Structures are given as C-alpha cells and as structure tokens.
C-alpha cells in the first residue's frame, strides 16, 4: 500500500482563536474571546490554539494571550482531561511569556522557503531552526509540548513552486529536535488534492503519520478537497478554524483556514469521528462572527445561522 | 476495479446563466446576460445552459430566454463547432417556446422524491416521467438533444435520506426514454464524498459513465470535495456555475452550485483538462457578479477580483 490506512477518527487542531483571529481586523474583547474559546472547548474540540506570544504592536489581536491563559486556568480548562491549550511562540521571548502564562503547549513557525520565512519572522529557514532548537530544548526541560508549523509547503508567493523533498527534509529536522508534530501548511491556498498526495507520498517513508498534520487555506476553494485528499491518504490530524475565520468576506481575496464546521460535517458524514458536536461548535463560532460583524466563510455555519439546515434523518 | 478509470478530461456543463441566475434576486439586463454568456463561451466552455422556458411570472430572471437564443444565433454562437446552448424545458409548453427559439438542446427536470417534485413542478415523479416522455419524443423528432436533471438524489428537505436504488431506477427510466444524460443533483448540498461514491457504485452496473453527470451544491461546503469524489470515481461530466452563482452572500444560508472557477482550478492543477481558460472565465463571471452587485461565492474569483492570485510558476 502506498497510503496509510484510512483513519476512523481525525484529530482536529483548532486554530480559529489564533490563525483565524490574527487575520481579522476588528479587535475582539477579552470577554468575547473567552466565550468563544470556552464554546469551542465545550463543543468537544480537544486541541485549541488560544493565543500567540508575539509582538503586540505587530499583532494586536493577540495582545490578550497572557490573560486568556490565566482566565482559562481559573475556569478549570487548563487541567481538563484530554484538553490542550496551545500558543504560538516564535522565539525565546515568546517562550518566557508562555512560561509566565503557565502555557503547557507551544507551536513554533517557519516556512519552506527563505524569502517567505524572512518576510514573516525576519530570519531565513536555517536561522529559524537555530532559534527553535533553543526554544524546543528549553520548552522540553519545562515539560512543555512543542509543535511546528511549516508554511508555504506547496507554493510560495515569492519563490513559486516548492520542492516536496525540501519540505520533508525540513520536517524531519524539526522532528529530530524534539517537535512532536509538524503541520504542513498550504498558507496561500494554492495546492490541489493531487499535490497534497504527491507531498504525502514523499513524507511517508520518512515520518510517522501522527507526526504530520495538514493545514489548508481556502484561497482558491480547494481547502476541503485537500483535507479529503489528506484524510484519504491516511492523515489523522487536520488544522482548521471555526467559522472559517481568517478570510474576511468584506475583503475579497483574503484567505481563511478550512472551516472547522464544514470539515466536521464532511468527516462525520463519512463515518470518520471528530468528537465535535456541530451545533455546539456553531454556537461558539457565532460568538466570534457576531463580535467581528462579518459573514462567516464557513458554508455550514452560514446555513446554520440562517436556520437553513433541513433535517435529513 | 470498482471505479471507472480516472478521466484525463472533464466536460463542464455550465449552469450559471440558468440554475445560478434563477436563484439571484437582482434582475440582469439582456445586455449584461449576453455579455456574460458570450464571455463564458469565449473562455472555452462548450455546454452552457443559457436559459429556461418556464413561467415568466414565477421565474422572471428567465423571461429573456427567447431573446437570448435569438441574439446568440445572430452572433454565430448557435452554430459554433462544439458549442451547445441548452435551455431548461419543464413541459410541452416550454418545448413549444424552445422550438420557436431554435434551441437545439433542452433539459428536463424532476426529483428523486415525490414531495420535492410536487412542490417544485406540481407533479409527482411518475407524472413528471409521463410529461417527459412526450417532451422527449417530440424533441427527438425535431432533432433536439435532451438531458435530464434529477434533484435531491442524496437527500430531500421533505423526505430525508434518499435510497440510491430509487435514484438509479429513475435515471435508468429517463435514459430509456431517450434522454442522453442524467445529471444527479445534490440540490440541498447535503451529500458527502462517501455518499457520492456509494451512489456511483450503484449507478455503475446499470449506466455508462457518459450518461451520468454530477451536480453539487455548496450549502455545507462539500460541493468541491464531492466533485473530487465523483471525478475520482471516474465521472466525466460535472455541472457547475461560474462565480458560484445561485448562493447569495447577502442572504446567508442560500446555496449555490459548485463554482466553475474553483472546479477548473482544482482539476487543471491535477492534470485533468477542462478546456477552460481561467482568466477569461473570471472576466465573464465579473460581468454577472458586478451586475448583481454581490460578492462571488467562488473563492478563486474572490481572489482573482482582489488581484490576490500570487504567481506560483
């Protein structure tokens, strides 16, 4: 077999409160954010990226991350069985703040091309690995879990097509330094299902399947087909954003993550369990969507909000 | 093999000017419609449903269908090699008008359940077949091609789940009366890729693959994954609407057809040829979208309009 076996369950890694919100212009109050995140957790999502320890002047939407962690701890979510609250930490300063927040799980972020990585985090790929080596080492000493994002795995706005072999090599290096999972990102939403499978065919001989996640953006409408291709190949972890946050309908051309609602609807319908209750998920997303004053990119949520989900028993 | 072989080309049946526009509230002028349709044809689309011979008081958006055919004839499109201009014709009155318009290809429309069919065309399924028998016979005598839509093949808002066996039986009857192709519609956008394959597994022993088309709506975001599943099974004809027309972003919950742009982007990227030039297609859709004053449901078109298609060579 070329593929891994088809999974019976898929682990959803919810990035709405971070990757989603950080691309939204309207600021969310601490109260709205907390209500949104608690709603997500109540829907059954187990891995939620709730914030980022980054420069507040650059990404003001993430400025409340320390408070978010403190509040979620007070409300009992930090120690809830099976639940992991994640934060993006690009560097050691971020890790200092993660430690201060009692955050137990962090994500680092690099890209498959030097130009993209330089423009996004001010380092080339090699330099980012040096930083992550220190971050990962310190994190692991503090018993903090570490995950890594690799952006532009299928295409870069500056360097064009990306070679699958270079993505596999980079993922392998990140895993070797102690990162538990690498999320392969189609950051500009350029991949198609065939290219998803092409990369996974290169990944498979080198990396075990739970060390890999798929992270697809919907710039050209292919996010959900790409998730289908990844799951069809046997991938068991997918990143998604509730409501399809991150791509604002008022700013055509912006690209959100694949919508968690649409993904849950598709997977559960196919008999692949996610552990997420769709109605509860929609209730959570509604909080964020209404606070942002926007139309959701999630088609399922659009229909749910319009009470246009006919019962098909 | 359970599947048909993977197709190297897919025939796109463009329903934007009919299934798309008839669900849009803003009326399009004759000039805008013609410019839109001519743009679609110039992009390389060969099968375009340009109108419907239905009651004008019920569907005013289709009132200009006779003029559309007359104008397209004047402009040389009716006789253009490889091009077929289609019209929806629900009954013999419709056929009379199609003959008057020199329309050479019509589509009839029924549903997989009695309740849906009754509510939509005022007949149950059996009665609709009696009508189509007469329509098809007269059409064929006049050398007019006939295609059939079967709605709610995967789920009905009134009767719930639909049995695959009953869809196959209905499709077989339509083909036996001389219809050349049956378009299997997920009218309420409820199907998932597994259910698409489940139905196709039932279809395959009874029907040849070019007698079948997939017609998917995007109510819950699954239209493009369902197209992928159908093409992966070997289906070679898909219906789609340029711009994703038919689901208005200003009326959340409405459900459009799968967007032709997103479908072309995905298929061409996978090496499956459609014969459609994406830039020209977007130019055509822009005419309709701007006339309607709406945000397109097509993600690719959204990005194209915002000039947010990075070149990934």
């Amino acid at each position: 077999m070329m593929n891994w076996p088809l999974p019976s369950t898929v682990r959803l890694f919810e990035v709405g409160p971070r990757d989603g919100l950080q691309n939204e212009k309207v600021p969310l109050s601490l109260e709205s954010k907390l209500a949104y995140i608690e709603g997500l957790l109540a829907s059954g999502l187990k891995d939620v990226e709730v914030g980022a320890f980054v420069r507040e002047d650059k990404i003001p939407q993430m400025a409340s991350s320390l408070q978010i962690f403190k509040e979620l701890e007070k409300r009992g979510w930090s120690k809830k069985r099976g639940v992991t609250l994640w934060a993006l930490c690009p560097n050691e300063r971020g890790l200092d703040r993660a430690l201060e927040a009692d955050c137990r799980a962090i994500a680092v972020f690099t890209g498959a091309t030097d130009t993209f990585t330089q423009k996004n985090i001010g380092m080339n790929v090699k330099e980012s690995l040096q930083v992550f080596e220190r971050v990962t080492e310190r994190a692991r000493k503090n018993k903090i879990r570490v995950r890594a994002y690799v952006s532009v795995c299928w295409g870069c706005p500056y360097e064009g097509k990306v070679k699958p072999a270079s993505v596999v090599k980079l993922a392998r290096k990140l895993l070797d330094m102690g990162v538990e999972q690498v999320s392969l990102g189609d950051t500009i939403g350029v991949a198609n299902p065939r290219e998803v499978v092409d990369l996974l065919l290169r990944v498979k001989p080198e990396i075990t399947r739970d060390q890999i996640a798929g992270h697809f953006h919907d710039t050209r409408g292919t996010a959900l087909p790409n998730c289908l291709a990844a799951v069809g190949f046997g991938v068991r972890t997918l990143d998604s954003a509730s409501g399809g946050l991150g791509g604002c309908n008022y700013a055509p051309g912006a690209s959100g993550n694949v919508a968690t609602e649409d993904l849950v609807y598709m997977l559960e319908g196919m008999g692949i369990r996610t552990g997420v209750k769709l109605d509860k998920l929609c209730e959570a997303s509604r909080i964020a969507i209404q606070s942002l004053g926007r139309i959701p990119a999630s088609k399922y949520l659009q229909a749910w909000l319009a009470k246009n989900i006919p019962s098909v028993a």
Side-chain angles (χ1 to χ4, degrees), chain A:
Chain A
M1 282 291 284
M2 302 286 272
N3 292 12
W4 287 304
L6 194 74
S8 57
T9 63
V10 162
R11 173 187 174 212
L12 296 182
F13 192 98
E14 170 63 36
V15 299
R18 202 278 304 167
D19 200 10
L21 283 185
Q22 78 175 31
N23 288 303
E24 299 281 349
K25 293 222 165 55
V26 178
L28 235 67
S29 71
L30 182 65
E31 297 319 314
S32 297
K33 251 199 209 180
L34 283 166
Y36 168 44
I37 293 167
E38 289 199 275
L40 294 173
L41 292 163
S43 79
L45 287 162
K46 297 292 187 198
D47 291 280
V48 183
E49 199 167 71
V50 300
F53 295 111
V54 291
R55 278 180 55 180
E56 301 182 1
D57 55 332
K58 289 215 171 167
I59 308 178
Q61 192 75 274
M62 294 295 113
S64 55
S65 293
L66 178 63
Q67 288 164 285
I68 293 281
F69 270 94
K70 290 294 180 194
E71 276 301 319
L72 291 172
E73 188 167 29
K74 266 191 217 160
R75 300 176 193 194
W77 288 108
S78 310
K79 296 212 167 59
K80 190 149 174 101
R81 199 183 170 82
V83 166
T84 309
L85 307 174
W86 297 79
L88 188 76
C89 277
N91 50 38
E92 290 197 85
R93 285 188 305 283
L95 181 58
D96 292 338
R97 292 166 60 205
L99 288 166
E100 192 189 337
D102 279 327
C103 162
R104 309 304 309 150
I106 63 166
V108 294
F109 170 95
T110 188
T113 70
D114 279 327
T115 317
F116 185 89
T117 309
Q118 190 75 46
K119 286 195 188 254
N120 271 271
I121 55 175
M123 305 179 262
N124 64 27
V125 178
K126 193 176 170 188
E127 289 162 352
S128 76
L129 291 178
Q130 288 162 354
V131 170
F132 297 164
E133 191 135 35
R134 294 193 298 273
V135 170
T136 305
E137 199 187 338
R138 267 185 67 201
R140 297 185 75 205
K141 272 186 193 154
N142 285 279
K143 295 201 168 55
I144 290 175
R145 295 167 63 182
V146 186
R147 182 180 206 249
Y149 291 104
V150 177
S151 291
V152 296
C153 289
W154 283 274
C156 167
Y158 312 109
E159 298 191 22
K161 289 260 185 207
V162 173
K163 284 194 182 127
S166 69
V167 175
V168 174
K169 205 170 144 191
L170 176 56
R172 191 62 263 164
K173 277 185 193 164
L174 287 159
L175 292 165
D176 289 343
M177 69 172 66
V179 161
E180 67 178 58
Q181 187 179 60
V182 177
S183 171
L184 302 173
D186 180 24
T187 313
I188 58 169
V190 77
N192 64 60
R194 174 169 261 167
E195 291 169 332
V196 170
V197 169
D198 283 347
L199 178 54
L200 291 170
L201 283 167
R202 303 290 194 104
V203 162
K204 201 193 165 205
E206 308 286 337
I207 296 171
T208 66
R209 71 166 162 168
D210 290 331
Q211 289 178 319
I212 288 294
H215 180 110
F216 299 106
H217 282 248
D218 204 31
T219 318
R220 292 159 186 80
T222 53
L224 203 53
N226 288 341
C227 287
L228 178 64
V231 170
F233 192 92
V235 167
R236 277 199 292 217
T237 308
L238 291 172
D239 299 355
S240 62
S242 46
L245 288 187
C248 184
N249 273 10
Y250 293 125
S255 64
N257 290 88
V258 69
T260 311
E261 290 84 356
D262 301 3
L263 186 55
V264 167
Y265 178 77
M266 181 178 80
L267 293 175
E268 292 282 340
M270 295 176 73
I272 297 169
R273 290 188 306 278
T274 63
V276 177
K277 291 192 175 64
L278 252 177
D279 273 347
K280 289 208 165 193
L281 176 60
C282 289
E283 282 166 24
S285 298
R286 176 164 55 190
I287 298 166
I289 287 295
Q290 288 183 342
S291 303
L292 295 167
R294 59 165 289 196
I295 295 164
S298 164
K299 294 280 175 148
Y300 187 93
L301 183 59
Q302 276 184 23
W304 186 88
L305 288 170
K307 300 199 189 339
N308 190 26
I309 298 288
S311 78
V312 177

